[in-house]
Structures are given as C-alpha cells and as structure tokens.
C-alpha cells in the first residue's frame, strides 16, 4: 500500500498546478501564494462526511466534483473569483483505484472552476471525511454579503430549484425512473456553482447567499442577517420540466422551496436594477427569477395562491438530528 | 441537542474575534480578510483523526491546543506570522460539555499564537476528525523553504527532541512514572510552535522544516528537496533531563532521532551566521544546537561515537501502514 508521501506525490502534486499567484505549491511546510493587490480574500471551508453527505458507494469522480462544486459555491455567493484550494482527506485505506478516480474528477473540476490546489493533508481513519478550504478574491467593498438587503428590494433566484433533491431521490431509490433522470442526477452529483453570476452581481445585488440548506432556510438566514422580512410566492419558484416529469406538482413545489443543495444563488436588489438583472441573465444564458420582495419586519412569509403556505416537511437540512 | 447553527453561534462565533485584517468573520458564506501589502501568504492544512492522531479519551482542551500547535508549527517552519484559521470539525454528537472544553482550549491557543478564527464547518459523523487550515504572512522573498540548504551549511535544531514521544508513552501506559511526567505530557499534549524563531531566522536560515515525523524523516525531506546530503552526530541531539530521567540513554537517543511530534524547527545556515544564531538563542531563551553539516550527495548519514548508526526502529510515523 502506498505511504502518505507517495499518495501526495503521485496523485496530488501533478494536480497542484503553478498558477494564479502560486509561488510555491504542494511539497513544503506551507504553500506560498501572492494575494492580488486591492482585493479582499473570501475564505470558506466545507466538509463532506461519508454516510451523512454522500453514500458510501458514490463514484469517487462524482464526489470530487460535488466537494469542489459545493465549496466554490460559497465563493460565488460572495461575488469572489476562485483562486486557491487546500484539501484534507481522511480515508480508511489507500485504494489506488479510488484515488485515481478521485483525482481525475478533482483535476477536471479545478480546471472548470479555475481554482488551484495549493496544499493538502491525507490521513487514515475508519470513515471517509473530506474538507475543502477555498479562497477567492473580490475588489475591496464589492463583496456580496448576507446583511445588505433593503426594504423594497426584489428577491431573485438563479436557475431552477428542487432538481438536486430529486437527483438524491433517484440515487437512493434506483427503481425510480424519470424521463430526464440523468439531468436530475447530475444536478445532485455535479452542482454548478454560479461563479460568473456572483461576479456579475457585484455592485448590483444588495445581499446574496447560495442555496445549500434549501431556499426557505437560506433566504431566512439572509433576511435575519439583514434585519428585514420577506414575502415570496411559491408559484413563482423556478422549476425544471425534468423535476415536473419526475414527481407531482405539490412535491415539486416542496422540493423547490426546501430541497437544498441546488447551489443556485438567492439575492436581493433594488427594483431599479431590474434591467441590469435581465441583461445579466441574457449574457450568461441563465434564468434569473424574481420570486418576492423584502419588507419591514423579521419573518419570511410564503404564499401560495394568495394563502399562507405551511410547509409540512423539513425547512432545510441540519446536522446532529435537529431536522424539524 | 443543539443544531449546527446553534453550535456555530454559541461556541465559535464569540471566539472568531475581529482582528488582524478580518473584515467579516464567521456567519456569512465566506469570511472576508484583507491581506497585508508586500507579503506572501503561507497556507497549510492539517488533520487530526480520533484513534490515529489522538486517543478517544483525550481532554478536549488538550486536543484544541494540539490541533492548533501542530498546524501553526507549519507557519513557524516557513518564517510566517500567523494570521487566520479555519476549522472543520466532525463529531459523533453535539456534546455540549465537550464543545465547551474544546472552545476553551481553542480560545486560549488562538490568544497564545495570535491567530484569528475566521470560519468553520461543523458536521456529524461516527468518528471525530478535525482539520485546521492556517494562514500567515511573510515578506516577499523571505520565506524559509525546504529547498535552500547549501553544501557546507550547519544543521541546527531548536529545543530538545524526544520529549513528545515520551509524553505519548506516559499517556498510553499510565502506570509509567517519571520525575518530570507533567513536563513530558505537556510536550506531547500542548506543543510549542516556534513562531518567534521562524520569524527571527528570516534572511539567516537557508532552509527549514518543523519536526513532526521525527528528526531523521524530516531532515531527510529537507535534504532531498535541497538536493544535498547531510551528516549528523547522534550524541549532539539535544535531550532534556526529563527524558533521561524517564528512560535509558539508548532509548532517549532513539526517540530524539525518530520520535516525532516535537514541533521543534530543524534548519540550515552558513557557518558564517553562527553568531547570529547564538544571538537569537539568547534573545528567545531557546536552545539552538548545531547537530551536523550539509554535504555533497543525497544521503543522510547518522554517526554515533564515530560509527555509522543503524536505527533499529521506525524512521518516522506514516499513515496507511507504511511504517518501516
């Protein structure tokens, strides 16, 4: 079985490309990087745990995509340009085939998101645990924070919601079938962090968050941090035809509202910037849907056909058994 | 049981102090930091796994010290000033007493090492796994790398070696007794990263590494990266009186050479800088011992009383069962 140093040398060192201000990559006590001038750095760390965030039999290539996609999504939500990644990987054994699949996915995802692997730690343990720490740059004063939503702002979401939840259902119940099963599976396994959208929204959005726990939970965080309330219309949540071909309308609506892990962006902006949003949508070829409005108060009100909507299921995924 | 958000709010948010260029701390999609001008950033990530790097019954306060000490040691080895920490913690359950002990140790260690917690991720999993990603700053061109050792340089180590290995022995065999058991235990549980030494060695040391795998293994890495050979004299390895009161001379020598996790610095510098090293030693009140010399070739030669020394035991700790 290869040793820790051989794993780093043979799998991760070739992936750790010298790029984007990387002065010294994998192989010393630390990596050395040169931060861009006039920019703040955005930093986030995310962990995926076997049996909690992914099934034990997940393909290692998909796992690498999912780990990077979900991490880079936090940079997108800040309007940051991805720069550097460090990776901590705990594995029960040094399975060369698994590592080879994992690094193949990692390499492709690094390329896709234009982020450089600069360091890592490989350890043994009876459970697969992967932590990705990502950093990106954003011009001073232009970061998209959660706390800037203003009363009267429109609330937007990108793409379509609930697809990832349907993809998880397909994974857990292989007997399920859907006309566009592949699309839904990919939405779960290989999320698309909205990097370009985040960057385009600098100076336009007043607040932003990525949808990891579910729209209602995440929009709730944003409103709470901004000290405001919000109303959204359930029927206005963007849903894909793939989702509707997979389940009934009520289920599709629930998953769009609470499903989680879509890694779309939810953001607010003044109504006066509506035409800017339309231009960004056209430029990126990405659906951007107004789903509600920010108001005075502290509650998130969800309406369906003019009535208050009570969600019969979870309001978002939480660890340590705190699901509601 | 508290939810993930409550854990972050009640335990980590108060610890995440606004300091050292921290524009936005815990609570958004990312932290935002302002990197110091004219400096490179040194980045490192380290993972501790229950049952591999620490015993299940370790005191949570000690664990926090050990996690931070071993991580910050990588910054020290680069000559970097600690700045920011992100933490990924996987726990089987949200044990409030454990978390309270852990954050108490974390808080004290953050204060001691002058590093700010800027972000984290708390997840559930059947095994305790902790990853710490640390960043520090070092003036452009002054980082202590592993690859700069020159033929003729003296080889130095700081402090004393083997104490941490003896401390581990004391933990694993509580029936063991030593006159200075507390000192040896603390050397294992709460290592002292040599931050001030690393900074003082900027512009003086030609190469440096911290001793985590054991002197022979780590000095071997340094020499290999520098493309040179080295000779050291076993008798010149600095050993504490506590270590000698705990075991016989041969054992003390073996642990000093191969024990690991002392988190002292091993570095090289031209003989002409000998007086600078003595001045730094006096200024920091820290023993700095010349233990050998860099030469032409590619091997690390260890001599004892003029003879080649063959180590009958491991040359350093490695994961995945690759111990020799």
């Amino acid at each position: 079985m290869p040793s820790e140093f051989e794993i780093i040398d043979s799998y991760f060192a070739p992936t750790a490309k010298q790029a984007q201000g990387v002065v010294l990559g994998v192989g010393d006590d630390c990596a050395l990087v040169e931060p861009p001038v006039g920019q703040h750095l955005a930093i986030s760390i995310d962990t995926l745990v076997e049996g909690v965030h992914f099934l034990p039999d997940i393909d290692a290539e998909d796992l690498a995509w999912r780990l990077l996609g979900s991490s880079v999504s936090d940079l997108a939500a800040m309007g940051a340009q991805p720069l550097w990644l460090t990776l901590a990987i705990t594995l029960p054994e040094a399975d060369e085939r698994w590592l080879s699949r994992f690094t193949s996915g990692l390499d492709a995802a690094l390329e896709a998101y234009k982020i450089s692997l600069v360091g890592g730690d490989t350890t043994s343990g009876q459970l697969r645990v992967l932590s990705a720490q990502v950093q990106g740059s954003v011009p001073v004063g232009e970061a998209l924070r959660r706390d800037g939503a203003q009363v009267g702002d429109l609330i937007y979401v990108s793409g379509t919601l609930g697809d990832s939840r349907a993809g998880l259902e397909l994974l857990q119940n292989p007997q399920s079938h859907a006309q566009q099963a592949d699309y839904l599976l990919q939405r779960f396994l290989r999320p698309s962090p909205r990097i370009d959208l985040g960057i385009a929204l600098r100076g336009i959005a007043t607040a932003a968050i990525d949808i990891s726990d579910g729209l209602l939970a995440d929009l709730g965080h944003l409103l709470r941090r901004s000290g405001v309330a919000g109303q959204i219309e359930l029927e206005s949540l963007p849903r894909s035809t793939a989702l509707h071909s997979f389940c009934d309308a009520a289920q599709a609506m629930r998953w769009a509202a609470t499903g989680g892990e879509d890694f779309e962006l939810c953001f607010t902006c003044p109504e006066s910037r509506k035409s800017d949003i339309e231009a960004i949508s056209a430029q990126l070829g990405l659906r951007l849907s107004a789903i509600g409005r920010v108001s005075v108060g502290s509650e998130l009100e969800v309406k369906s056909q003019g009535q208050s909507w009570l969600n019969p299921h979870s309001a978002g995924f939480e660890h340590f058994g705190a699901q509601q």
Side-chain angles (χ1 to χ4, degrees), chain A residues 147-321:
Chain A
D147 58 4
Q150 301 293 320
V151 172
D153 280 356
L154 293 175
I155 301 170
Y156 280 89
V157 290
S158 63
T160 54
L161 302 178
D163 297 336
S164 179
R165 182 64 187 79
L168 175 62
E169 197 76 11
L170 274 165
L171 265 186
Q172 289 176 327
N173 302 295
Q175 78 281 16
S176 299
H177 62 282
Q179 283 176 25
Q180 301 175 61
D182 265 2
Y183 168 82
L184 296 172
L185 277 171
Q186 292 304 307
R187 289 279 287 167
F188 175 78
L189 292 171
R190 303 192 177 189
S192 300
R194 300 303 185 186
I195 302 167
D196 293 338
L197 174 60
I199 291 170
L201 289 174
R202 290 176 187 166
I204 295 174
T206 50
I209 192 169
D210 71 324
I211 299 176
S212 54
D213 296 322
L215 173 68
L216 299 194
D218 291 315
L219 177 54
H221 297 320
L222 184 153
L223 297 172
R224 199 158 39 246
R225 295 275 295 184
S226 296
V228 291
Q231 289 76 40
I232 62 169
E233 187 70 40
L234 208 59
E235 283 71 22
S236 64
L237 301 189
R239 300 171 311 274
S240 67
T241 54
L243 179 63
H244 274 285
S245 76
F246 178 70
C247 60
D248 66 44
Q251 179 75 289
M253 209 79 97
R254 270 199 303 275
W255 282 350
T258 65
E261 307 212 317
D262 281 312
F263 299 109
E264 296 294 346
L265 295 190
C266 174
F267 60 94
T268 57
C269 73
E271 192 157 9
S272 61
R273 306 309 293 262
K274 217 172 160 175
S275 59
D276 294 305
I277 301 299
E278 283 160 11
I280 291 170
S281 172
Q283 188 203 328
L284 299 179
L286 177 64
R287 192 164 160 182
L288 299 176
S289 311
I291 60 166
R293 197 179 282 273
V294 176
S295 61
V296 176
S298 61
E299 294 291 314
L300 169 58
E301 196 186 357
V302 185
K303 295 229 166 191
S304 175
Q305 298 174 320
Q307 306 291 312
S308 262
W309 182 70
L310 286 176
N311 172 29
H313 297 283
S314 163
F317 183 74
E318 282 204 5
H319 297 291
F320 300 121

Side-chain angles (χ1 to χ4, degrees), chain A residues 87-103:
Chain A
L87 215 48
I89 305 186
T90 303
L91 300 171
E93 51 180 1
D95 176 339
E96 298 219 32
R97 209 185 139 271
W98 192 94
L99 277 166
S100 163
R101 294 279 305 161
F102 182 80
T103 47

Side-chain angles (χ1 to χ4, degrees), chain A residues 117-165:
Chain A
L117 178 69
V118 297
D121 193 12
T122 325
T123 51
S124 65
Q126 284 317 304
L127 190 70
R128 275 183 286 183
V129 178
L130 300 96
S131 286
Q133 205 256 25
V134 292
Q135 295 192 74
S137 61
V138 56
V140 171
E142 294 189 21
L144 309 177
R145 301 164 56 139
R146 292 183 180 176
D147 58 4
Q150 301 293 320
V151 172
D153 280 356
L154 293 175
I155 301 170
Y156 280 89
V157 290
S158 63
T160 54
L161 302 178
D163 297 336
S164 179
R165 182 64 187 79

